[in-house]
Amino acid sequence: MERFLERMTDRLVFVSRYEADGYGQKVGRPRVPSSLVPNGLRPDEFEPVAHAPDAADFLYIGMMRDLKGPDLFLEALAILRDRQGRALTAHFVGDGPDKPRYEAMIAEMGLKDQVGVHDAMPARRAFAMARVVVVPSRAESMPYIVLEAIAAGMPIVATAVGGIPEIFEGEEAMLVEPG
């Protein structure tokens, strides 16, 4: 299908080397002009974000769907509570098809007192709600949220998938293997 759609395309724009390489492996060398244009940030996004006095331990911000791994993060919070006795707090910010299921998981796992769920909002506003950003994705291309979090001075826990290792070039071993 991708090869067929190329005929109707003036140019392919890839946001990461991972994405361009994946296209080449799965579809073949592009037959139309292509460019690699990494996601970028505005200068004002490099201002550190001050945490709210009642900031949670962690923040998941993104699409509410299994590909992005929020279910894995909820399981990790429950394991830390049950095995380590640590009731860490988190905010889940975003919208998506699986949001009602995650809200049900939070209730079923007994995490309602630890995890707040919020509709999508600007990233910098969400960053103020927590101390650490978690990106538990099973797959990614080049997640803009990781770039935004770094620029805002936020510590990050992220999986080593897609274009994320490109962002941490030289430090890829510090990323979490996807679960």
Side-chain angles (χ1 to χ4, degrees):
M1 183 57 91
E2 293 283 348
R3 184 59 78 197
F4 173 77
L5 290 173
E6 271 186 346
R7 292 185 224 166
M8 296 175 248
T9 302
D10 294 325
R11 174 174 291 280
L12 294 172
V13 178
F14 301 105
V15 298
S16 69
R17 170 63 43 213
Y18 171 82
E19 187 178 60
D21 291 347
Y23 187 92
Q25 292 168 1
K26 294 174 186 168
V27 180
R29 189 171 161 267
R31 294 181 182 164
V32 297
S34 65
S35 301
L36 174 61
V37 181
N39 282 334
L41 300 166
R42 299 179 318 273
D44 62 309
E45 292 178 282
F46 284 87
E47 292 295 321
V49 171
H51 303 298
D54 61 344
D57 297 304
F58 298 106
L59 170 69
Y60 168 84
I61 178 171
M63 213 39 191
M64 298 287 185
R65 56 188 263 221
D66 283 349
L67 186 70
K68 298 293 185 175
D71 57 317
L72 299 173
F73 182 38
L74 288 172
E75 290 170 11
L77 288 171
I79 288 169
L80 284 168
R81 181 200 59 210
D82 297 344
R83 293 186 191 165
Q84 305 292 321
R86 298 193 62 199
L88 298 170
T89 57
H91 288 292
F92 275 53
V93 174
D95 296 310
D98 296 324
K99 187 174 184 175
R101 189 165 53 82
Y102 300 138
E103 290 172 322
M105 284 178 70
I106 290 166
E108 290 164 14
M109 298 170 127
L111 295 171
K112 277 192 146 206
D113 292 338
Q114 293 173 245
V115 180
V117 180
H118 312 271
D119 290 337
M121 67 179 74
R124 293 180 64 81
R125 189 167 124 213
F127 292 159
M129 297 167 56
R131 291 180 192 81
V132 177
V133 175
V134 178
V135 183
S137 298
R138 291 177 169 95
E140 284 289 351
S141 178
M142 177 60 77
Y144 195 70
I145 196 67
V146 173
L147 300 175
E148 290 176 297
I150 292 169
M154 296 291 297
I156 301 170
V157 176
T159 50
V161 296
I164 295 174
E166 289 177 52
I167 299 170
F168 295 96
E169 187 173 349
E171 301 293 332
E172 300 94 336
M174 296 181 72
L175 295 168
V176 178
E177 288 302 316

